[in-house]
Amino acid sequence: MRLRRALRLRRKPAEPAAWLVVGLGNPGEQYSRNRHNAGAWTVNELARRAGAKLKAEGRSIRIGYGELAGARVALVRPRTYVNESGRAVAQALRTSGAPLERTIVVFDELDLPLGAVRLREGGGAGGHNGLKSIIAEAGAEFARVRIGIGRPLDGDEPTRDPDLVANYVLADPVGAERTTLEETTRYAADAVEAIVAEGVERASSRFNRRGAGDGPDG
């Protein structure tokens, strides 16, 4: 509660961003190609489109500024591990001046099939440790863009075994799976631009999809 009050009272920067986009993932080259870094891949794509260079700011974030859909946007990759993402988002809010209500968090989702994308405004953590951390540190009133990576299999069945799940999300996809996930992060970047342009509800009708190659759910 004290942190949320501090976020409201802290002086905004000279040129606050209209939107903040955070792509979750673990820091360091050894994690950069993991499934768990799909959110960070999306921010990298958005930075390329916006001509933004992400630079280290403090201990918790890399941040860059650019224009997407006619709005000034702060793009962030945390320098924290995923389960400590709240610390990064809290710093990003202070640094960028963007409000939590105009923050978009992009992340991988085990419970969506590979290539699926879901947009949502607000809500709970859904078991995602990164979201739990963000909600605890800053609140829940931010938009989510979920990128499906699917669950690992134990035999022929999807598993929730924590060791198998950890090994899976921290592994690099290869071959056709890698190609699909790369395409999906580009599609997720399109969805982020649509949210900035027209809001979550309208963007959802165009970008929610069940899997790679599918059209919008409608």
Side-chain angles (χ1 to χ4, degrees):
M1 185 64 77
R2 287 195 299 271
L3 177 56
R4 294 187 197 181
R5 187 159 50 246
L7 288 174
R8 290 196 297 268
L9 294 176
R10 190 181 179 96
R11 190 203 308 239
K12 302 297 185 187
E15 293 184 64
W19 289 84
L20 169 64
V21 183
V22 182
L24 300 192
N26 289 319
E29 178 61 26
Q30 69 269 39
Y31 298 110
S32 64
R33 297 172 183 83
N34 292 175
R35 295 179 178 93
H36 215 20
N37 277 46
W41 297 6
T42 304
V43 160
N44 289 343
E45 171 64 17
L46 289 166
R48 185 191 65 78
R49 297 180 187 187
K53 185 175 182 180
L54 276 59
K55 299 179 180 179
E57 177 80 26
R59 295 183 177 182
S60 297
I61 61 173
R62 299 186 71 87
I63 187 168
Y65 296 88
E67 186 174 297
L68 294 172
R72 178 171 165 80
V73 175
L75 301 169
V76 168
R77 290 199 321 264
R79 299 176 71 193
T80 60
Y81 290 98
V82 170
N83 61 0
E84 297 176 332
S85 297
R87 182 155 51 90
V89 171
Q91 184 189 343
L93 289 164
R94 293 192 299 268
T95 300
S96 69
L100 183 63
E101 296 77 12
R102 286 197 166 194
T103 296
I104 304 166
V105 178
V106 189
F107 58 97
D108 61 293
E109 176 57 73
L110 285 160
D111 289 323
L112 290 177
L114 177 66
V117 172
R118 286 286 187 277
L119 282 58
R120 180 177 180 180
E121 191 163 15
H128 194 286
N129 289 331
L131 294 194
K132 288 179 185 177
S133 177
I134 294 168
I135 291 169
E137 291 281 351
E141 298 80 22
F142 56 90
R144 288 97 157 129
V145 175
R146 301 157 62 200
I147 296 172
I149 61 170
R151 279 196 173 273
L153 300 179
D154 186 3
D156 295 326
E157 297 296 326
T159 182
R160 294 181 179 273
D161 180 280
D163 292 332
L164 293 177
V165 167
N167 289 337
Y168 176 77
V169 300
L170 297 178
D172 298 353
V174 297
E177 183 190 356
R178 172 79 185 192
T179 300
T180 296
L181 194 52
E182 289 176 341
E183 182 278 329
T184 304
T185 58
R186 292 191 294 270
Y187 184 87
D190 294 341
V192 168
E193 292 200 69
I195 292 173
V196 171
E198 58 198 50
V200 176
E201 184 174 355
R202 290 185 65 185
S204 296
S205 68
R206 296 203 290 120
F207 286 94
N208 278 352
R209 73 180 190 187
R210 295 184 179 88
D214 293 338
D217 290 355

